[in-house]
Amino acid sequence: MTERSERIVGASPDLAALAAAVLQPGFVGTTPPAWVCRWLGEGLGSVVLFARNVVDHDQLAALTATLRAERPDVIVAIDEEAGDVTRIESARGSSRPGNFALGAVDDEGLTEEVARDLGAELAALGVTLDYAPDADVNSNPANPVIGVRSFGADPALVARHTAAWVRGLQAGGVAACAKHFPGHGDTRVDSHHDLPRIGGDRARLEAVELAPFRAAVAAGVQAVMTGHLLVPALDPELPATLSPRILGGLLRDELGFHGVVVTDAVEMRAVADRYGFAGAAVRALAAGADAICVGGERATEADAAELRDAIVAAVLAGELPEERLAEAAKR
């Protein structure tokens, strides 16, 4: 056993529980695996569901009830944007219009109504956090990953409909999560595969990328998801997910956001290739993230344990202040 391993094994259960509390792992199967149920009793605070976890409404409601039996206050997240990105209707396609269609109609009342209806359905199924709306301004027509997931290319339109979606979803009983901060629209690169670079000066970012996120914060959005994006006008060195300047200085201090900061999946190559799977998680927490999303591709107990142990080790080594970890877990 290495010295690092001995330190982790000897760490207090409270520290391990704090590390588990900030993870938001996925899993494989239509019922919660034994390790997830065990971890919920040991501090795990949330999970994220994917299409692979959903068969129908009855099955999904039973799954979330099983999770809640282990931990009544567990956060159950899902990536349900409607339109092209659906988990609860993946077998046949979403019955609700996606962002681009709503933006084209440009009826804020309709956007709010669609989101409220979705929120009520998700709440009835036991989901409490939705990774939506996509608040990106699709200003680059060559964008390979946003496209019709955006309300459009006009920042003012996107801002209005982002706020309407947030209001509607949360009125339906589910926390909204605006993504991908500070804006994934003006890129030709998919952050699943490489690190996108968002150009433009600060004035351009204010006028375009940041406008919908300001609107989301003003509408009371409860969560914001970070994008794995290099934005030199904000931080020339670190991707947004790992940047104290962007998560702390911009999102917290300037935009006044006080809710939960969730990372995009930390196994995505934009950050994992450069900083390591666990290294990206630790850096994100140190930068100001509160929840580490993982499990689209790495969905085993060993993957979750690797992150938990790395977080504990970083605290013990003085690389991640325990106060920061405790703040994230509390939030």
Side-chain angles (χ1 to χ4, degrees):
M1 183 178 291
T2 66
E3 181 181 349
R4 177 178 180 271
S5 298
E6 288 175 350
R7 290 202 308 270
I8 294 170
V9 170
S12 72
D14 290 345
L15 183 54
L18 283 178
V22 301
L23 299 181
Q24 209 158 86
F27 57 86
V28 176
T30 55
T31 58
W35 74 266
V36 169
C37 294
R38 186 176 69 255
W39 278 50
L40 287 170
E42 297 173 351
L44 182 65
S46 56
V47 298
V48 56
L49 304 179
F50 295 87
R52 67 188 179 216
N53 304 120
V54 180
V55 176
D56 55 33
H57 281 30
D58 289 343
Q59 169 270 329
L60 179 55
L63 184 156
T64 60
T66 300
L67 294 169
R68 203 147 278 119
E70 298 293 337
R71 178 167 181 160
D73 64 347
V74 61
I75 295 170
V76 181
I78 202 165
D79 196 355
E80 181 66 41
E81 300 176 14
D84 279 9
V85 179
T86 179
R87 310 305 186 209
I88 61 172
E89 297 184 279
S90 61
R92 64 179 183 273
S94 179
S95 58
R96 297 178 178 86
N99 284 5
F100 185 75
L102 291 169
V105 173
D106 195 13
D107 180 339
E108 293 168 49
L110 175 61
T111 296
E112 189 168 342
E113 181 181 345
V114 168
R116 184 185 295 110
D117 179 68
L118 175 59
E121 181 173 354
L122 291 175
L125 294 172
V127 173
T128 54
L129 171 64
D130 186 11
Y131 294 158
D134 189 309
D136 301 311
V137 179
N138 196 52
S139 55
N140 188 333
N143 194 309
V145 67
I146 302 302
V148 296
R149 298 169 64 194
S150 168
F151 290 110
D154 175 14
L157 179 146
V158 175
R160 287 190 286 105
H161 286 274
T162 293
W165 180 281
V166 168
R167 291 194 301 268
L169 189 73
Q170 294 187 168
V174 171
C177 180
K179 62 187 183 186
H180 306 82
F181 186 80
H184 205 316
D186 189 16
T187 175
R188 293 174 178 264
V189 175
D190 182 346
S191 51
H192 289 84
H193 306 301
D194 204 351
L195 180 64
R197 184 182 185 278
I198 307 298
D201 59 17
R202 179 60 190 264
R204 144 80 196 212
L205 293 170
E206 285 288 347
V208 180
E209 278 79 12
L210 294 179
F213 291 99
R214 288 189 181 276
V217 172
V221 71
Q222 293 188 13
V224 169
M225 177 176 280
T226 68
H228 303 325
L229 311 161
L230 186 65
V231 190
L234 302 175
D235 189 327
E237 297 178 359
L238 294 171
T241 299
L242 315 182
S243 171
R245 295 185 191 180
I246 295 175
L247 300 189
L250 177 58
L251 182 57
R252 294 290 189 202
D253 298 340
E254 292 188 39
L255 271 63
F257 178 64
H258 302 297
V260 174
V261 176
V262 184
T263 71
D264 209 344
V266 292
E267 69 262 43
M268 290 166 62
R269 296 183 63 180
V271 291
D273 280 2
R274 289 162 176 79
Y275 304 96
F277 173 56
V282 169
R283 284 173 173 262
L285 289 167
D290 303 306
I292 304 298
C293 174
V294 64
E297 298 175 4
R298 301 192 61 167
T300 68
E301 181 177 12
D303 294 320
E306 182 178 345
L307 296 185
R308 180 199 59 199
D309 292 350
I311 293 166
V312 170
V315 172
L316 295 177
E319 299 166 0
L320 173 65
E322 186 170 355
E323 296 76 14
R324 167 82 272 273
L325 179 61
E327 175 191 48
K330 181 179 180 181
R331 188 176 281 123

